[in-house]
Amino acid sequence: MARYSHISVAIPMLAEQQNLLPLLERFRQQTFQHFTLYICINNVEGGYGFEENQICLQELKSVTDLPLNIIDRSSIGCGWSGKKKGVGWARKVLFEQIMTEKDDDELVVSLDADTDFANNYLEALIATFNADTCANAMAVPYYHPLNGNAQLDRPMLRYECYMRHYLLNLFRIQSPYAFTALGSAMAFPLWAYRRVGGITPLQGGEDFYLLQKFAKTGKLINCMAPAYDNDSTVVRPQGRTSPRVPFGTGPAIAKGIAGMDVSYPFYSHTGFDAVLATYQSFDHLYEKDEETPMSEFLRKQLATDDLWGSLRLNFKTKDRFIHACSERVDGLRILQFLKNTPEYRLSTAELPVDFVHDNIDTLNNYRDQLFAEEMRQRRSKH
């Protein structure tokens, strides 16, 4: 019997007037109609997006044919102030509102206003979670459409290829943190969200930390159920510049192609192999300390010389100890390790394409090759 029968869709919105009506129309066309839309119109008190947000609020108030729950964090006296601001806080407000109104068997879908999705997207998600009721979250496959502007498409393709190359290597070493975190491409049941203690409200990266919590506490899936696993159920966020968050797709595109090699380098297989070798050492570390490829980095990062002794004291069985080690060497530590080890960065000459000089079709073909392999890996892990 199906466990999930209703969906709450959480959408933070800042200066999205041009995307609002198309977004609402996508929901009108959904084949699964048992949903409620939770929309948080938000901006810093009187700041960027205020006027456009006020127009969106008025347009939303006139909607009568969709189940809407509008949260106003934009109007004078309602906007963000102090440190509590940004998309992380908007998502937190949305999720907490859903928690107060729904029971544990509610499925929560996180989206962004600039994201396109198929008419059967919600149907596919609820079918997927009903086919695997032990799953506590999903990192939905994504694909940024080209917009025909080479100045935007080139850095967007560079950034997306970086993310796909990174994820494919995590799949290759069978990391438990093999996921790509996009706020527009997440879904989870409310019981799992409660269990991990909710979202950490950051101005950016909150989606990564939430999915990492899910990965540490249960099963995180990466693709739809077989009947729905096709290109039509991939979410398609816009590849655009954006001042909304300090890092992510929008800021990456805003940097332009010139700054990407420093901020978003491709990492070599040998770097990920060093992570794998560290994971493979956990079995031996249960018996005694030994050096791993990540030990020197971890001692500096964690400010301790005792990396594993306290874990041996607290986790008496080998399985629990190994799990604790994998929680310590988590997705954040892997990224920090690679970033802090210059020899693991690939040079531009080592990449199969030249993101500065090759034409957009060549870059897009490379993106599509990575995407196809990533989808194959996602399916094989399901």
Side-chain angles (χ1 to χ4, degrees):
M1 185 175 180
R3 177 172 186 173
Y4 307 108
S5 59
H6 193 270
I7 290 176
S8 290
V9 183
I11 307 174
M13 196 173 290
L14 170 59
E16 296 286 5
Q17 184 183 0
Q18 70 176 29
N19 290 316
L20 178 58
L21 295 183
L23 175 72
L24 296 178
E25 189 59 32
R26 289 186 206 108
F27 285 107
R28 293 187 179 98
Q29 299 299 321
Q30 287 297 297
T31 55
F32 182 86
Q33 283 289 314
H34 300 290
F35 64 82
T36 302
L37 300 180
Y38 289 79
I39 299 177
C40 180
I41 308 290
N42 71 102
N43 54 254
V44 172
E45 183 71 22
Y48 168 77
F50 170 75
E51 293 181 357
E52 196 169 335
N53 281 349
Q54 293 304 298
I55 296 171
C56 289
L57 279 169
Q58 292 306 310
E59 291 182 350
L60 285 169
K61 288 175 182 177
S62 69
V63 174
T64 59
D65 61 339
L66 287 171
L68 291 176
N69 189 319
I70 306 166
I71 302 173
D72 180 6
R73 298 308 303 265
S74 171
S75 298
I76 298 299
C78 300
W80 307 122
S81 61
K83 295 182 179 180
K84 295 183 177 181
K85 60 184 178 181
V87 68
W89 276 100
R91 293 198 201 282
K92 180 178 176 64
V93 167
L94 286 161
F95 297 156
E96 288 187 347
Q97 183 68 32
I98 293 168
M99 277 202 298
T100 65
E101 298 181 7
K102 305 296 182 180
D103 62 24
D104 279 355
D105 286 342
E106 185 76 359
L107 188 63
V108 180
V109 174
S110 178
L111 275 171
D112 286 337
D114 71 339
T115 303
D116 196 11
F117 46 91
N119 290 347
N120 67 339
Y121 181 59
L122 297 185
E123 177 188 334
L125 284 172
I126 205 150
T128 298
F129 278 89
N130 277 325
D132 190 350
T133 56
C134 291
N136 68 345
M138 180 178 182
V140 180
Y142 68 97
Y143 188 95
H144 292 96
L146 297 176
N147 60 36
N149 181 338
Q151 288 187 321
L152 296 178
D153 286 339
R154 189 175 295 277
M156 181 276 290
L157 288 167
R158 169 65 174 76
Y159 182 68
E160 186 174 318
C161 289
Y162 152 79
M163 292 197 295
R164 296 196 187 283
H165 184 269
Y166 191 91
L167 179 60
L168 284 170
N169 274 285
L170 290 179
F171 279 136
R172 182 176 63 82
I173 67 172
Q174 300 183 50
S175 168
Y177 305 103
F179 59 81
T180 298
L182 279 78
S184 57
M186 300 189 299
F188 48 86
L190 203 50
W191 61 262
Y193 182 78
R194 294 185 200 273
R195 186 172 68 178
V196 300
I199 193 170
T200 303
L202 305 171
Q203 292 186 45
E206 76 291 337
D207 40 16
F208 170 82
Y209 290 104
L210 180 58
L211 285 182
Q212 180 164 267
K213 286 182 181 181
F214 287 131
K216 288 183 177 182
T217 57
K219 183 179 182 181
L220 191 152
I221 57 178
N222 275 291
C223 69
M224 299 289 186
Y228 296 92
D229 182 22
N230 53 62
D231 287 352
S232 72
T233 51
V234 172
V235 297
R236 299 177 185 275
Q238 293 177 17
R240 60 178 182 175
T241 60
S242 175
R244 294 165 178 79
V245 291
F247 54 88
T249 307
I253 294 172
K255 279 178 180 289
I257 200 70
M260 290 227 170
D261 288 341
V262 174
S263 300
Y264 306 104
F266 286 76
Y267 299 106
S268 67
H269 278 23
T270 55
F272 291 93
D273 289 343
V275 177
L276 175 59
T278 300
Y279 272 78
Q280 291 172 335
S281 71
F282 293 161
D283 186 78
H284 305 293
L285 289 168
Y286 180 66
E287 304 295 337
K288 63 178 182 178
D289 281 357
E290 64 177 44
E291 282 296 292
T292 76
M294 294 181 70
S295 291
E296 182 178 355
F297 159 79
L298 290 170
R299 281 192 288 267
K300 293 178 181 177
Q301 194 70 28
L302 301 174
T304 180
D305 290 328
D306 181 18
L307 295 175
W308 319 110
S310 61
L311 299 184
R312 281 194 292 268
L313 287 174
N314 292 323
F315 301 96
K316 301 301 183 181
T317 68
K318 182 178 287 189
D319 285 347
R320 292 184 66 196
F321 171 80
I322 290 174
H323 181 76
C325 290
S326 69
E327 286 195 338
R328 173 160 288 182
V329 188
D330 59 17
L332 176 62
R333 297 289 178 239
I334 292 171
L335 178 59
Q336 290 172 332
F337 169 66
L338 295 171
K339 276 184 172 292
N340 285 278
T341 314
E343 59 265 34
Y344 293 146
R345 297 186 177 204
L346 292 175
S347 69
T348 54
E350 294 175 286
L351 299 178
V353 293
D354 184 334
F355 285 98
V356 175
H357 298 107
D358 283 349
N359 62 46
I360 297 299
D361 285 344
T362 299
L363 302 181
N364 193 42
N365 286 338
Y366 178 56
R367 186 263 295 264
D368 286 348
Q369 292 172 26
L370 294 176
F371 174 67
E373 178 58 22
E374 180 184 311
M375 291 303 295
R376 190 183 73 81
Q377 292 292 333
R378 285 176 181 257
R379 290 161 184 149
S380 71
K381 309 300 181 186
H382 189 67

